[in-house]
Structures are given as C-alpha cells and as structure tokens.
Amino acid sequence: MSKAVAQAASLPATRGDLKVLRGLVDLPALQELGWDQGTETFSPRPDDPVFGLAECKVAGCDQGTATNRWGLCYRCLARWRRSGTELEQFCATPAPPAQNRSGPPLCTVCCTPGHERPQHWLGLCASCTTSMLQRGQSKEEYLNGDGVFPPASPRQSFGKCQVAACQRWAHHREPTVCASHYRRWVKAGRPTAGAFRAWCSQETTLDSDRRRAYLGGLGERARLEVLYGLQCRAMAERRTPPTHVQMVANLFRSQGAASVFDLSVEGIADERRLFVLFVRDHLTLAMARPETEKAKDTWDLRVFGRAGRTLRFGQIRQVWLAKGAKQWAFERLSTVESSGHLERVAKSVGLFSASLCRHRPDKGADPTLLSRADVLAFCNDLAHLEGSGRLSRYHRRAAEREVAQFLREARGMGLTAPGSLMAGLPADVVLQPGHRARARSHDPDDEEPKALPQVVVDQLLDGPALEALEAQHGTDMRAMVELQAEVGRRTGELCQLRWDCLCFGEVLDELGQARPSPVLVHDMPKVGAKGHRLPVGEAVVEVVRAQQERVKKRYPGTPTSLLALFPSVVRNPRGTKSFSANAFAANFRTWVDSLPELLGPGGEPFYRSGITVYSFRHCFAQRHADAGTPVEVLASLMGHRQLSTTQIYYRVTHKRKRKAVDLLAALQVDRNGDRSRPTLERILDSDQLRDAVGQVAVPFGICTEPTNIKAHGQSCPFRHQCFGCSHFRSDPSFLPELRAYLGRLLADRERLRAVAPELADWARKQAVPSAEETSAVRRVIERCEALVGNLGDDERAQVEQATEVLRRGRAQLDTSVPVRFRGSISQATPTLFPNLEGEGRRR
C-alpha cells in the first residue's frame, strides 16, 4: 500500500458538496476512456495501458487475459492445465465458444423485440418448455406445428431483472428477476415489498464479463466518486482492470453505502480496499483548501502544492505555540526547498513544548510568564536526553538550532507583537549561540575514508559480480550501477534521469579541430538546479545508449520525450515514472550482501556494511581529486554551491600531507635545476612552519619572494617571470603542469612564427616565446625526471604516492593559484597605450 493511500485511512471524511463533485468529474475524458453514460457501463479499450486487458493468446478466444505469465484468460488457463498439452499447441487449437456474458441466450421462440425471455431447456424458455411437455410434442413439432397445435408464437417479455446491478432478462413474473437471482431471492427468505426493494439494491451482478463494469443502481454521489477515482487513477497511471471497478460497485451495493466514506473496508485485503482508500484520499485532497487545512493539527502538504507528505503539530501542547508554529510554517512553505526542514523544526518545537509542560506550573499556557530560565531548562533537557543515550549530539545541536531559528523568525514575522498569536513572549526567550552545545572535535586522521578503495570498486564492477546483479534484479539495475560508478550523481538524480538525458556539444582538441563532447543533462533538486550539464566519457555513452534502446522497445507507444531512462517496474504502464531511489538502494544492498568476500587493498577482508550507492559519489570526488582537478571545477561537477561541501567528499589528512612533503622536499629544484635543499630525512617542525609563512603557491611551484608573499602571490615585482627568477622552486609533483606548459610554449612558438604577414618583426619578437624560457622549462623538467629516475623502485613508488597526495591537497585549495594567473607565466604581451593604462591604474 502506498504512503498516500495509507494516510487516507486516517484522514477525516470530506464529502464536499454534490455540485462541487459534479464539477470535478470530467465526463468527456471519461467517455474517451470507455464510460457510457446511457448504459452506465465502463468498458475501456483492450489496448488501454491503465484499464485495458490484453487478448487471450488462444485462437478464437475473445476474452481478456489474466495477470499471469502465460497470457491466457482464466477459462483457457484452466483448460490448458487439464489438457496436458504444450502451450504452443494449445494456443493454436481454437477455443470453444464462451457463454453469453449477459446471462443465458434467448428462447428460440421468444427472442423478438418485446418478447425477450431467456432459455431454460432445449433452447426454449420455461413457458415454452412447459407447453411443449404438456402437449407431448417434440421440439420440431412445437416450433412448426403438428396438425393439432399451430406453430409456437412468442410470449410477452417479463422485462429486465429488477436487481439494479443485473442486465439479464427476467425469468419470472413474480418477482421479476432472472433465474440466478430467483434462487438467491429464495435463499434470502423470499422478501417482499420494501424488503424486496432493499434486497434488489444490495444484490450484485452475476455477469462474468471481465472487460466491463456496470455502475447502474448506485446513487449519484457514489457513482460520481467512483468515476472521479477512475479519472485520478488514469492520471496517476495506476493499473485498474474493470474487474476491480466491478468489485467496488458490488461492495457499494452489498453495504448500501451512499459514499466511499460510508464504506467499511475493515477485514478486506484485496484491491477493493486500495481503490476505496485511493478515492477517499483524492476526494479529500480535491475538497480541501489551504485556509481550512491550516487550522488542522496534521497538514496534508499536497494541499499547499508540495510533495505528498504530512506536517504534524499535534505534539505541541500550548495553544499559542501551536498557532505560532502553524503560521510560521505557512509563511515558510513558499520559501523552503524541502518540506522536510519544516517537519524537523515542528518536531524540535514539540521538544520545547514538552520541556515547558515538564517545568512550568501552568504547563507553559501563558507566554507572558516565560523567561530565560525556561530556555535554559530546555537546553538542559536536551543534554539529559543526550547523556541517557536517547538523543545524539548531532540531533541535540539540530534541535537547538531549529528552535532558535523558529523563535528568531517568529519575532521577525511579527508573531510576538501585541494582538498576534504569540503576543507577550518576553524578549529574553531566545536561544543564543552560547546556549547551544558545541560540536565534538575530531581528528580527520582518525576518520575512515568514505570513498571506497579502487580495488574494492574493481571487484564490484567485475563481470561475475555484475552478472549476479543482473540475474537478481534485471538489466536496468546493472546499468544503474555501472552509470553511477562513472558519474557519481546523487541517488535521486540518477534515478530521475530522462530518456533524452544524453546530449553532445563541440570542443576543440589539441590540433584545434572540433570533436563531439558527450554531456549528461540532469536536474539537481537539492540545490535547485535544472539542466545541469556533466561532461562524460565514452563508457557512459555506451551504457546510456544501450539503456535507451531497451526502454524504447519496452514502451514503443510512448514518445521518447516522456520516457524515463530507468522506468519503474510497478504502476508504470507508459514508462513515464522513474525508478524509486529507495528501491534502488534496497536492491543494491541485497546484491552487495550476496557477493562473495570482498578484499581490501592489503588483501584483508573488506567490511561491506559501509558500501552504499552513495559511496560511488565519494569515489567520483576522490578520483578527480587524485587527478589534480581544481576544487572549483570539482564543485561544479558535483553540483555544490560551497567549496567547503566539496572538500568533505575527499580527504588528505595532515599526516599524509606531512609525509608527502618530507619525501618531496629533498627533490625540490630551483630555476637552474639545482636541488634547493640538501639531502634530508625529515623537515623539522620549525622549518615546516617557516615554509608555510615564507612561500606562496604559483602555477608551477612555489615562490619565496617577500613582496609577492605579502601580496599572496598577486604582486610579483618581476611580472611573474618564474623560470628566470631565483626565488622560484619546483618539484616532481608539478611535472604534469610543467610538461603541459612546455608543449604550449612550443606550439605557440611554431604558430606565431607562421604569421609573418600579420605581425611586424618587432611584434613577433615580443610575442614568440623565447628560446631561453623554453630551455629553462625543459631544464627543470629533465632535472625532476632525473631525480625520480635515479631512485630505487620502492623509493620511486613512495614518491609517486606522495605526488598524488600533494596534488590532491592542492585541489582542495581554491586560493592557492588565482584563476587569472593560470598561464600568465610567459613572455610579456605588448600593450597598447601604456601611458593611459598607467594613468588608469593611478586613478
């Protein structure tokens, strides 16, 4: 049962005005779905994805299939099981004609308009059968005459059965009911007069047509409520075959209920209960208004246009505090991104309310009597809950922060002003920062990394592991895991991907030629971003395209613009709804727990309890940090607004940084390639502190020039000519940047030499990189490579690991190298009107 349907059982009955209910029902749309107003029958098309039934596979059978894997109707399924033949052979054999779904066929004689009577024996009605037997005639003699008696003539019809739900022709005159309902009437004690009319209204249909539902005999309100339920289920794409609708109509008749709110569904565990609760929920939502919902203690946030959640204020005992919390929540509904924040604040205010009830003689009923002591008592209560193990430090600090926010914003909204809901609340009833608990200090070196080791990721993405995942949960789950390992999205963002999420742009390669660049387009509701474009590789393109083909074949009738990339497997006949994030996490957990033992980097058993879908997001961040991706770029890739949030997703501890610095300190070189430090085992703490304040980062190393250090690297007196400056230092951890810069110098040199007609000799001389600068860069590169190459295998491996640590640490420093200085270390570019430029600076 869905959460919305479960909530409907506890919601108050909201019948609404009958006129309003008529306005809610869209009769033209229902008629397109299969509603016939004249016959009061709902007969959807067989190909309707919500209400229709597929054709039975047996040749000549025109009945709808049951929900089974063989695609057979109930009648043919029973016949096939009795036959003992192969399914293909059975389906090729024509099915016998089915019985008339509207009851027995008509009498051979009494079948003309106005004379309709059902067959009783030998194709004749009961009256014709009695006459034939009394005359001692055969059927042919009765029909054609025998010289004594003339040919049979039709008798006047009794009309339709008086049972409201029955469409069969009556078999008796008194009472005017069909043969089947006549037997039920006898069993019911042969009621008459008013009792007979009540019995007729409660009897159900006996027809076995699974393709239609008859709503005749229901009251107007009940019929409109059922139709509105069908209308809502069509919009929600909730699978509803006509048999379920007929079951609900029969339930109305059996209980004599006039509305779904009068139906008793206790003890009913089939589709009738789900349908009734669904209709109650949507009727309550349709009849509700924000003004009336605001006065309730439990809000249905769908009334305010938010997601299907509830907001409860029943835990707040004080009237003034509850009204103030409701008004605060009502005003914040339009500003908060997630209603979950409002729920947490309401719970925290409930804790404050419980504290007032516990300590105040008047239970906190009068806000004017509150004081700062009540706030301190609330903080002490939270400390007691934490000390007793009933509240964590995190939730304690969250409760204090949320109550402080509520009190502060309530005053800003004017709720404490005279005549307002919280009038008279003293000004000292507020949580100051000093009242709140402090966060426990922690050592990052003692924390377990959240990113999985690469050796564990390789085991998860190994062929046998992915085949086991596909065997357990299908191809879609395998594609989701493979895609998540590559792109590292939030779980909900991955599940909500649309079919057309893959786009292509153009970028220039190293040769200056345009090439296609794949981009994954998706929304990020957590940060309010739509259409975020994430550059991806060819592996992602292969996974997405294969998934697109599978989904397109699965839902051929749905436009691709409406399809989800990973459609839900339940209640999704058109493929427009996305897979649930909770279901994805549950399937992932089941798969990981079923895998053989996983091994860590050292061959030790790796505990799989910490492996979640979200672990791949941390791996994505750690992988980019290890590659030296700047933190501002990684924040954009991750979809973070603050760089501090991005830095949480990967770690470089102080101990590892210090070890890396010690390893690379002896390999530091100056502009000439000479080692700037003597061989040493470890930098002293004093030297390390001196380095921290006596140098500044530059694009290809560090700078020790005092003026530039004082200006944080933004005021070099030598115009950033680092490769000709004695204050410049570099080490092997900068080799990727140095090689890239050398390649750029050589390319610029060849390109600028070829533009002879465009540039004058003096301009070309200024623009072309000098041979001295190129030689200096090459000299530093060769020296760093030689220092690493002369090391032993173990030492070289340690240096490479230290290089990764330092490059990851640099990615965390958003201010290490100003963006505008990247690529600025080169020959000075000519400037036009230098005097005017200087004048501008002086102004």
Side-chain angles (χ1 to χ4, degrees):
M1 186 185 303
S2 66
K3 183 177 180 181
V5 171
Q7 293 171 358
S10 61
L11 292 176
T14 308
R15 300 170 187 267
D17 185 74
L18 192 58
K19 183 178 179 181
V20 177
L21 184 57
R22 293 192 191 102
L24 293 175
V25 177
D26 188 355
L27 287 178
L30 288 170
Q31 289 172 358
E32 293 182 3
L33 294 174
W35 169 247
D36 188 343
Q37 184 72 16
T39 61
E40 296 184 311
T41 303
F42 179 64
S43 302
R45 301 186 310 273
D47 60 345
D48 191 287
V50 177
F51 303 107
L53 292 174
E55 296 289 341
C56 180
K57 291 183 177 180
V58 178
C61 182
D62 61 349
Q63 299 206 24
T65 65
T67 308
N68 57 52
R69 56 180 176 173
W70 301 284
L72 305 179
C73 65
Y74 285 122
R75 186 171 67 98
C76 291
L77 181 61
R79 290 193 309 107
W80 173 58
R81 288 174 173 171
R82 291 194 303 266
S83 66
T85 60
E86 295 292 334
L87 181 60
E88 292 77 9
Q89 180 182 355
F90 178 82
C91 292
T93 304
Q99 185 180 4
N100 194 320
R101 300 190 185 105
S102 297
L106 295 178
C107 173
T108 305
V109 178
C110 307
C111 60
T112 57
H115 307 89
E116 299 90 347
R117 291 193 182 190
Q119 291 183 4
H120 177 65
W121 185 57
L122 294 179
L124 302 176
C125 65
S127 299
C128 290
T129 301
T130 302
S131 297
M132 181 186 67
L133 294 178
Q134 289 176 348
R135 297 175 182 179
Q137 296 175 317
S138 65
K139 181 179 179 181
E140 291 74 13
E141 293 174 342
Y142 177 76
L143 293 176
N144 303 318
D146 58 357
V148 178
F149 296 98
S153 59
R155 291 171 169 80
Q156 186 178 3
S157 173
F158 298 133
K160 287 295 185 71
C161 178
Q162 286 187 303
V163 174
C166 188
Q167 294 295 294
R168 300 182 179 184
W169 294 102
H171 189 272
H172 299 272
R173 187 181 303 276
E174 292 294 337
T176 310
V177 292
C178 64
S180 299
H181 281 115
Y182 180 81
R183 290 189 291 269
R184 291 195 173 194
W185 174 72
V186 173
K187 188 175 181 180
R190 301 174 182 267
T192 59
F196 174 74
R197 289 191 294 271
W199 175 82
C200 288
S201 64
Q202 295 179 1
E203 276 298 303
T204 61
T205 179
L206 300 176
D207 294 337
S208 59
D209 191 350
R210 302 179 65 250
R211 295 181 181 276
R212 69 184 184 93
Y214 178 64
L215 303 185
L218 299 185
E220 183 183 7
R221 178 181 291 275
R223 185 175 65 258
L224 291 174
E225 289 175 346
V226 173
L227 292 176
Y228 182 69
L230 294 176
Q231 180 179 316
C232 293
R233 290 180 81 86
M235 296 176 62
E237 296 187 345
R238 297 285 292 271
R239 188 82 173 95
T240 311
T243 51
H244 296 168
V245 183
Q246 188 64 67
M247 291 166 60
V248 174
N250 292 341
L251 187 64
F252 269 102
R253 299 186 184 101
S254 62
Q255 296 186 10
S259 170
V260 289
F261 296 101
D262 298 332
L263 286 176
S264 175
V265 291
E266 295 183 3
I268 299 178
D270 53 22
E271 294 294 335
R272 292 176 294 175
R273 175 184 177 87
L274 297 179
F275 188 91
V276 170
L277 295 182
F278 179 88
V279 176
R280 286 181 183 175
D281 177 59
H282 281 73
L283 280 174
T284 302
L285 179 62
M287 299 296 180
R289 295 293 180 268
E291 298 77 16
T292 58
E293 195 72 17
K294 182 181 173 183
K296 300 178 182 178
D297 288 336
T298 301
W299 291 3
D300 185 350
L301 294 182
R302 294 174 298 172
V303 178
F304 304 97
R306 304 305 295 262
R309 306 180 64 146
T310 57
L311 187 58
R312 295 178 175 84
F313 300 95
Q315 71 275 15
I316 305 176
R317 306 294 181 84
Q318 295 77 16
V319 177
W320 63 271
L321 188 57
K323 290 183 178 180
K326 292 178 183 179
Q327 182 62 31
W328 172 86
F330 182 75
E331 295 189 21
R332 289 300 311 274
L333 270 172
S334 59
T335 59
V336 296
E337 295 179 355
S338 172
S339 57
H341 174 67
L342 301 181
E343 295 179 23
R344 293 189 294 270
V345 173
K347 290 180 180 179
S348 300
V349 175
L351 294 177
F352 181 55
S353 172
S355 176
L356 294 179
C357 292
R358 190 178 301 112
H359 297 287
R360 295 288 309 173
D362 60 345
K363 306 296 183 182
D366 188 356
T368 61
L369 301 180
L370 268 60
S371 64
R372 182 170 176 270
D374 298 305
V375 176
L376 297 178
F378 169 63
C379 296
N380 292 333
D381 287 346
L382 294 180
H384 172 71
L385 292 175
E386 180 190 1
S388 60
R390 290 180 288 174
L391 198 67
S392 65
R393 172 60 66 92
Y394 173 82
H395 287 96
R396 173 189 171 185
R397 298 184 71 244
E400 293 172 342
R401 181 176 62 252
E402 288 155 0
V403 172
Q405 175 190 359
F406 165 72
L407 294 175
R408 181 178 64 255
E409 294 183 357
R411 296 182 187 278
M413 295 175 182
L415 300 181
T416 60
S420 297
L421 300 175
M422 301 171 61
L425 186 67
D428 59 349
V429 180
V430 61
L431 264 73
Q432 300 290 350
H435 297 157
R436 308 179 198 172
R438 296 182 179 179
R440 288 195 176 98
S441 60
H442 60 278
D443 186 1
D445 297 336
D446 297 333
E447 292 182 354
E448 289 291 333
K450 295 182 180 180
L452 301 176
Q454 187 60 41
V455 65
V456 176
V457 175
D458 294 340
Q459 295 174 67
L460 293 175
L461 301 180
D462 194 21
L466 292 177
E467 291 173 1
L469 173 62
E470 185 174 357
Q472 292 177 16
H473 304 292
T475 310
D476 286 9
M477 271 295 300
R478 174 172 180 169
M480 294 174 76
V481 171
E482 290 178 329
L483 188 60
Q484 178 68 354
E486 291 289 337
V487 300
R489 300 298 89 190
R490 300 178 182 92
T491 309
E493 296 170 2
L494 181 80
C495 294
Q496 294 295 326
L497 287 175
R498 308 310 298 173
W499 189 91
D500 52 357
C501 62
L502 188 63
C503 298
F504 289 86
E506 283 189 349
V507 296
L508 298 178
D509 57 14
E510 293 79 1
L511 302 178
Q513 298 179 351
R515 61 176 178 84
S517 174
V519 176
L520 190 72
V521 182
H522 65 95
D523 295 338
M524 295 188 293
K526 186 174 183 179
V527 294
K530 290 185 176 294
H532 179 76
R533 302 175 66 87
L534 175 71
V536 294
E538 290 300 324
V540 174
V541 175
E542 294 178 4
V543 173
V544 172
R545 283 181 170 170
Q547 180 65 15
Q548 286 176 334
E549 290 297 324
R550 287 191 292 268
V551 174
K552 191 174 181 179
K553 292 179 180 179
R554 197 180 309 165
Y555 302 99
T558 304
T560 55
S561 59
L562 302 179
L563 284 174
L565 184 64
F566 300 106
S568 175
V569 296
V570 296
R571 300 173 183 172
N572 191 25
R574 293 187 176 89
T576 58
K577 296 181 181 178
S578 300
F579 201 85
S580 168
N582 293 334
F584 179 32
N587 293 345
F588 184 86
R589 178 80 272 148
T590 304
W591 167 61
V592 171
D593 292 340
S594 67
L595 292 176
E597 184 179 49
L598 300 176
L599 301 179
E604 74 282 0
F606 190 84
Y607 295 101
R608 65 189 72 194
S609 59
I611 302 177
T612 63
V613 176
Y614 214 78
S615 300
F616 287 121
R617 182 165 173 81
H618 289 275
C619 295
F620 177 84
Q622 192 71 58
R623 186 166 63 246
H624 277 276
D626 293 343
T629 302
V631 69
E632 64 272 8
V633 177
L634 183 54
S636 177
L637 294 176
M638 298 284 289
H640 291 156
R641 293 178 175 177
Q642 298 180 352
L643 300 180
S644 58
T645 305
T646 307
Q647 294 171 354
I648 297 174
Y649 281 78
Y650 61 94
R651 291 194 312 112
V652 183
T653 63
H654 175 74
K655 294 178 181 179
R656 296 181 66 189
K657 289 181 184 177
R658 181 63 185 275
K659 183 179 178 180
V661 170
D662 290 343
L663 285 173
L664 292 174
L667 304 179
Q668 194 177 91
V669 298
D670 58 13
R671 63 179 180 179
N672 299 316
D674 299 328
R675 299 173 69 169
S676 59
R677 295 177 184 269
T679 303
L680 46 79
E681 295 292 334
R682 184 178 183 273
I683 300 179
L684 299 177
D685 292 339
S686 57
D687 292 336
Q688 196 237 355
L689 181 61
R690 187 178 300 108
D691 287 346
V693 300
Q695 65 187 24
V696 67
V698 291
F700 307 108
I702 59 175
C703 176
T704 60
E705 204 283 322
T707 304
N708 199 28
I709 295 171
K710 186 176 181 181
H712 304 290
Q714 302 184 30
S715 180
C716 175
F718 312 119
R719 300 176 63 187
H720 300 283
Q721 303 296 320
C722 294
F723 292 103
C725 179
S726 61
H727 298 285
F728 173 70
R729 304 287 186 272
S730 188
D731 61 61
S733 67
F734 292 95
L735 276 174
E737 289 86 354
L738 290 169
R739 294 190 184 107
Y741 183 59
L742 177 61
R744 190 163 60 250
L745 288 177
L746 296 175
D748 290 346
R749 185 173 182 178
E750 297 300 325
R751 178 175 56 82
L752 292 173
R753 280 180 174 180
V755 291
E758 290 83 356
L759 286 178
D761 293 340
W762 66 269
R764 188 184 309 108
K765 184 177 180 181
Q766 288 289 333
V768 173
S770 65
E772 292 79 3
E773 181 183 9
T774 305
S775 300
V777 176
R778 185 178 282 111
R779 183 167 54 250
V780 174
I781 294 175
E782 291 174 352
R783 180 56 173 165
C784 290
E785 291 176 343
L787 289 175
V788 177
N790 293 333
L791 298 175
D793 294 340
D794 295 341
E795 293 179 340
R796 189 182 303 111
Q798 293 177 2
V799 169
E800 291 175 354
Q801 184 177 5
T803 298
E804 293 180 2
V805 172
L806 286 184
R807 292 182 62 80
R808 189 184 311 163
R810 290 187 199 122
Q812 275 186 299
L813 302 176
D814 58 303
T815 58
S816 59
V817 180
V819 176
R820 60 179 178 275
F821 288 154
R822 295 193 181 278
S824 63
I825 300 179
S826 62
Q827 292 295 102
T829 56
T831 57
L832 300 177
F833 312 112
N835 294 333
L836 294 180
E837 184 180 358
E839 289 292 331
R841 283 199 302 268
R842 282 193 293 272
R843 290 194 185 98

